[in-house]
Amino acid sequence: MDIGLVLQTDPPARLLVERMKRAEAAGFSHGWTFDSVVLWQEPFVIYSRILAETSRLTVGPMVTNPGTRTWEVTASLFATLNSMYGNRTVCGIGRGDSAMRVAGRRPATLERLSAAMHAIKELAEGREVEVDGSPLRIPWVEEGASLPVWMGAYGPKALELTGRQADGFILQLADPYLTEWMVKAVRSAAEQAGRDPASLTVCVAAPAYVTEDDSPQALAHAREQCRWFGGMVGNHVADLVERYGEHSGLVPDELTDYIRGRKGYDYSHHGRSGNPDTAFVPDGIVDRFCLVGPPQAHLAKLRQLRELGVDQFAVYAMHDAIEGTIDAYGREVIPALAEQPV
């Protein structure tokens, strides 16, 4: 199982680059960032610096969307980085939550997302594709250019699209029950589309907070540092409830029940510990969706996720122990995962 690191592009960018270098030295395989250019700095500029100062790390957004940039611009950004640094990017993409809503726009439809994924991949790998009725090709893309496209999804139609089209699946929560349910849905859709289900990469992304012990005080602090995540996921869940209703059978109740106390969301606190709009998130959801506790607790859950077909766990490190988490994973988690599980 690979381990990735997800950070926000808060200034100063130099600090983010240093943390990504630290992660590579600790054994992390991927460096991800949010892509919401009003709330944070432009990530593609920073990717170039990360790639220049690392040798193995693969970088990409978790996640971009079809609406912030035109598709040929997104494709050209990835193709340029790959030309400079050798196919070390991955395109995480979704409908768009914070990036679109902060700008007063609605997230993209799945139809538009599907078209964007196709166009971005074709253009970034040097093939011709039609964009807005016009044939386009980026002539300078080199032979052998490659851009994996991984889609973030929760709902049944999005999971079906992921299995039918994407190269990988990004699931932003680490609950084993929901992971199993959604991975099966994605692989089933891939099989029905005539694809090899095993060819899809599965990435689970969630906050991880490593404590020295499992004392009530340590766990309580860790939960408070990660509670924001339940609120972020709740935005997507609220969309699902609006579309499919409660207890529809199309979306697991284990995913939707917890947002009943949700009363809105202020994106100025998006993805940050201490977010006041996430008080409705109970401890049980934090424990299910995140990884909190001493290293052995992380290892137990990661091994469980690996058995469910997860290829990468991406650590959301939006809390007060970013370097400590990177170091703890490099020292105690990544080496242990490389060994055969007991």
Side-chain angles (χ1 to χ4, degrees):
M1 174 187 277
D2 287 338
I3 300 294
L5 176 67
V6 191
L7 296 174
Q8 294 158 338
T9 53
D10 285 312
R14 182 74 238 169
L15 178 59
L16 187 146
V17 173
E18 291 300 325
R19 285 169 168 167
M20 290 298 184
K21 291 168 62 179
R22 188 178 191 134
E24 182 184 63
F28 287 68
S29 63
H30 287 65
W32 302 90
T33 73
F34 283 19
D35 179 16
S36 189
V37 295
V38 173
L39 297 176
W40 298 285
Q41 293 182 330
E42 167 58 52
F44 284 91
V45 177
I46 301 172
Y47 295 157
S48 186
R49 197 66 181 172
I50 295 169
L51 290 167
E53 298 193 28
T54 58
S55 60
R56 302 181 308 279
L57 209 65
T58 296
V59 303
M62 189 175 282
V63 292
T64 193
N65 66 83
T68 301
R69 308 172 187 85
T70 60
W71 303 345
E72 66 272 20
V73 169
T74 300
S76 183
L77 288 166
F78 281 112
T80 301
L81 293 173
N82 284 338
S83 177
M84 293 173 69
Y85 301 107
N87 288 342
R88 289 171 57 202
T89 66
V90 56
C91 176
I93 192 168
R95 294 176 57 228
D97 178 36
S98 62
M100 298 296 284
R101 287 180 163 127
V102 163
R105 307 184 186 105
R106 291 183 61 81
T109 64
L110 289 177
E111 181 181 12
R112 183 167 176 78
L113 176 55
S114 174
M117 289 195 297
H118 175 69
I120 291 167
K121 184 175 180 66
E122 294 297 292
L123 289 169
E125 294 184 347
R127 295 181 290 274
E128 182 177 294
V129 69
E130 187 174 292
V131 178
D132 295 331
S134 298
L136 287 181
R137 186 178 74 85
I138 302 177
W140 48 263
V141 172
E142 300 160 7
E143 185 177 354
S146 175
L147 179 65
V149 176
W150 297 4
M151 179 178 158
Y154 292 106
K157 293 182 180 179
L159 294 170
E160 189 278 331
L161 173 58
T162 303
R164 173 163 46 89
Q165 182 176 344
D167 299 310
F169 168 41
I170 296 173
L171 174 59
Q172 295 178 89
L173 54 81
D175 176 69
Y177 173 82
L178 292 171
T179 297
E180 182 176 20
W181 191 92
M182 294 186 184
V183 168
K184 284 182 177 178
V186 167
R187 296 207 188 281
S188 176
E191 188 172 17
Q192 291 174 18
R195 306 178 69 195
D196 177 8
S199 68
L200 271 79
T201 303
V202 176
C203 174
V204 161
Y209 197 103
V210 181
T211 61
E212 292 186 2
D213 54 43
D214 58 359
S215 67
Q217 295 83 358
L219 294 178
H221 180 76
R223 290 184 183 115
E224 285 308 312
Q225 289 294 308
C226 298
R227 198 175 306 278
W228 64 266
F229 183 68
M232 187 185 81
V233 173
N235 296 331
H236 303 285
V237 175
D239 285 345
L240 295 177
V241 171
E242 180 181 357
R243 180 169 301 173
Y244 300 107
E246 291 188 84
H247 310 299
S248 64
L250 297 174
V251 181
D253 293 344
E254 288 82 356
L255 178 60
T256 59
D257 282 350
Y258 86 97
I259 69 161
R260 288 174 182 164
R262 182 179 181 270
K263 300 185 185 300
Y265 193 83
D266 180 355
Y267 279 91
S268 66
H269 304 288
H270 186 61
R272 300 190 185 280
S273 60
N275 186 334
D277 295 326
T278 60
F280 71 93
V281 179
D283 287 351
I285 286 292
V286 178
D287 291 345
R288 283 174 48 202
F289 285 10
C290 307
L291 277 70
V292 296
Q296 288 304 318
H298 290 243
L299 282 166
K301 196 165 192 179
L302 290 171
R303 286 169 175 153
Q304 189 177 6
L305 291 170
R306 182 169 60 182
E307 289 297 315
L308 297 175
V310 175
D311 301 294
Q312 180 182 152
F313 175 66
V315 175
Y316 275 121
M318 292 81 176
H319 48 54
D320 64 2
I322 296 173
E323 285 87 0
T325 298
I326 293 170
D327 294 346
Y329 263 67
R331 184 176 59 251
E332 302 188 60
V333 175
I334 293 173
L337 278 177
E339 301 171 0
Q340 288 298 318
V342 177

